[in-house]
Each structure stands twice: as C-alpha cells, then as structure tokens.
Amino acid sequence: MNFERFQNQARLFVIGALDAEEISEFEKARRKFGQKAEDFIAKCYTLSEAFALSLKPAKASDQIKARLMEMVRDRKKA
Amino acid sequence: MRSRKRLPKADEEPETPERPSSGMPELEPGAPTDLELMLGIQAEDPEALAQLYDRYNGIIKALILRVIHNEAEADDLLQEIFMEIWNQAKNFSAQKGKPLGWMVTLARRRAIDGLRKKQAYARAEERLQRETEQQPDAWVHNATEEEIAVSDTRVLIRRVISILPPAQQQAIELAFFRGMSQREIAANTNTPLGTVKTRLELGLKKIYDGLKELRDEL
C-alpha cells in the first residue's frame, strides 16, 4: 500500500467505515509508515469532529448534568 | 509536570444560557482549552468534567440523536458517555488528536452500539429506508436559510459537505451516523460495493480537503 492509498484508508478508518478484511492491511501499512501515519490519522479525526459539528446542537435535560456529577462524586468517594 | 489553569467553580458565574446555534462553542478569554479540561479530568477534577459537559453536551447529544432518534434514550446515553469520558480519560492522548475528536469517536461508538441493541432497530431500519428514499441529502435539507446565512463553524462545515454529490453524502451519512460497513451500505442502497467504496473515498477526501482551511478553528 502506498501512502496515498493509506491516506484514503485512514479517512475511512476514522469514521469506522473500513471493512474487517481491510483493517489488517491498514494496520500493516500503519506500522510501515510509522509516525507519518499516526500524524495523518490524528488529522483525519477532524472529519469526525466536523460531522458532529455539522449538526444543530440539541438541548439536554437539565437533570443529566446533576446526575452525572453525582455519579462522579460517588465514584471519587469509592 | 505541566501546570493547568485554575478552573472556576460552576457557581462563580451565572449558569450558561442555552447553547447558541453556533456549532463550535466560543470560549471566553482565559477559559481553559479543551486539552486543559481533559488534563483536569485525567487528574480527577470533577469541575473539569462539568465544564467540558457545558461546552459539548449539545453537540454530543445532537450526534446521539442523529443515530438513535429517541429523546429520552439520547439523554440517558449522553450521561453514560460523559461518565465514560471521566472513566476513560486516562486513555486520551493529545498526540493522537484533539479532545473533541476523541469524544465524538467515543460517543458515536456508544450510540451505534445502543442502536444495534435496541429492539426498535427494525423500526429504525424502516425509517432509514424512508429517509433514504425521501431525502438522501439530509445534511443539506436540514439547513434552513436562516442557518445558512449565519457564518459560523457549523454552517461552514455544512457548506463543505453540501458540495458533495448526494450519493457521496448518503454513503458518508450511512457510514458515520448509522455505523454501516461498506457492504451494508451497498446492500441497503442496492449499489455495487466498488461504487460505495469510491463514493466514500472521494467524498471523504473532498471534505477533508475542504476542511483544511477550517482545521485551525476546529
């Protein structure tokens, strides 16, 4: 796999769209390209961020945060 | 050891009003960055989690809702996801990406897991089928004229996405928001697998390239 092909696969990887049989080949190329590959994958997560940011934010129930923080405090005490 | 900014307590300032329509939260001068908040969570500071929640609960809930289409379940999942952020924060590494990308990946996975577990999965499939037939370019159709007129991050991103042909948008929508494999997309859309692969690769590359100018802001 050349680096251009790896880049295409990396973009699919970060959105979870690689088929199972493609993942092993992708991981092999990832090891081959080393840090260059890791740097590119990190940049590709911008895609995930962008898809989430493309949505209109939704209002959460006011109780969620209170319950969450109570759970966190309980976890810290334990 | 890296020093962190002191995180103000939640009751030091008035409660943040309902999140504005802008996709990317605007930070007050001096407010901790996402990375600083993640470091705070890694240091088990609940206030850091509270602030991260305030900043991103709207975006994360929108993502969950887009996947599971159920308000009450989305609220439950939102709580579970932020609890997981608290529990898994030690696995976050700034070298591997930004906090938001990590959170979105985590949230998306949980939402898709939730969707698959739901007994109503079949109903979602039917709904998807209807949506696919009625509005394959949902990203574009969801934007109102008023939203498009507002020059914020969300609108800029949607403009980038809207440049894609509807078939490429649909393939990405099914992969990202429905968690479908390329084979599942091919089966659901009666499209050859090779065509689905090409649509995804071309579509993602166009969006990636289009986002380059925005990347610093994200």
Side-chain angles (χ1 to χ4, degrees):
Chain A
M1 189 186 292
N2 61 27
F3 195 67
E4 187 181 348
R5 177 73 189 145
F6 174 81
Q7 288 176 311
N8 280 331
Q9 297 290 88
R11 285 187 278 263
L12 290 167
F13 172 75
V14 297
I15 69 157
L18 276 187
D19 280 330
E21 66 269 21
E22 293 173 318
I23 290 178
S24 59
E25 191 192 354
F26 173 77
E27 292 294 350
K28 195 174 159 188
R30 184 177 183 168
R31 287 192 294 275
K32 175 181 145 190
F33 292 117
Q35 192 56 46
K36 188 178 168 188
E38 298 305 322
D39 291 346
F40 187 77
I41 291 170
K43 283 183 189 168
C44 285
Y45 278 104
T46 307
L47 284 167
S48 288
E49 294 171 16
F51 293 149
L53 290 170
S54 73
L55 303 175
K56 185 175 181 179
K59 178 91 170 76
S61 159
D62 293 336
Q63 298 167 338
I64 300 297
K65 184 180 175 186
R67 289 208 310 250
L68 172 71
M69 299 317 295
E70 190 179 336
M71 286 171 69
V72 167
R73 281 192 292 272
D74 289 347
R75 183 65 60 92
K76 279 202 79 172
K77 282 181 198 165
Chain B
M1 188 173 170
R2 195 177 187 284
S3 64
R4 290 190 295 113
K5 285 180 189 170
R6 176 185 166 273
L7 305 175
K9 297 288 182 190
D11 56 2
E12 286 179 349
E13 290 179 359
E15 192 77 16
T16 305
E18 187 173 343
R19 184 179 296 287
S21 64
S22 168
M24 196 68 169
E26 288 185 17
L27 301 186
E28 296 289 329
T33 63
D34 292 351
L35 180 57
E36 287 167 336
L37 292 178
M38 282 303 297
L39 293 172
I41 295 169
Q42 287 176 337
E44 300 191 353
D45 177 0
E47 188 56 35
L49 183 71
Q51 290 195 38
L52 200 70
Y53 178 90
D54 288 343
R55 197 171 288 174
Y56 289 117
N57 75 81
I59 290 168
I60 299 296
K61 183 170 176 188
L63 173 62
I64 301 166
L65 266 177
R66 187 63 171 259
V67 176
I68 65 171
H69 296 277
N70 182 293
E71 187 76 27
E73 289 178 13
D75 273 340
D76 288 344
L77 256 181
L78 180 70
Q79 181 186 317
E80 288 176 22
I81 286 163
F82 272 91
M83 198 65 217
E84 191 168 342
I85 289 169
W86 174 262
N87 290 330
Q88 301 294 326
K90 59 185 179 301
N91 295 326
F92 168 76
S93 164
Q95 277 77 43
K96 293 182 178 175
K98 293 178 183 174
L100 179 58
W102 182 77
M103 290 192 293
V104 166
T105 301
L106 189 151
R108 175 185 168 273
R109 191 177 61 239
R110 286 296 301 268
I112 289 169
D113 285 349
L115 175 68
R116 287 177 174 154
K117 285 176 190 165
K118 274 173 63 175
Q119 289 183 333
Y121 184 62
R123 278 190 283 117
E125 287 285 290
E126 287 172 12
R127 186 165 50 238
L128 165 64
Q129 188 65 38
R130 286 198 301 275
E131 285 175 3
T132 301
E133 289 166 2
Q134 291 166 8
Q135 48 171 1
D137 49 347
W139 262 321
V140 181
H141 286 188
N142 282 349
T144 64
E145 286 182 19
E146 184 186 8
E147 285 171 344
I148 289 170
V150 180
S151 179
D152 63 8
T153 304
R154 177 162 55 96
V155 173
L156 291 172
I157 290 169
R158 289 166 80 130
R159 280 186 183 151
V160 171
I161 293 169
S162 70
I163 292 168
L164 301 188
Q168 290 178 12
Q169 290 187 41
Q170 183 196 44
I172 294 169
E173 163 101 17
L174 294 176
F176 188 76
F177 292 113
R178 308 287 173 167
M180 286 188 184
S181 69
Q182 295 175 68
R183 289 183 193 287
E184 287 171 323
I185 295 170
N188 269 270
T189 58
N190 290 319
T191 306
L193 180 59
T195 305
V196 170
K197 286 178 185 289
T198 303
R199 285 176 181 171
L200 281 171
E201 287 186 13
L202 288 178
L204 288 172
K205 185 170 188 319
K206 282 181 203 164
I207 295 175
Y208 181 86
D209 290 344
L211 290 171
K212 272 182 183 169
E213 292 180 10
L214 298 175
R215 193 161 287 151
D216 289 342
E217 297 172 39
L218 298 175

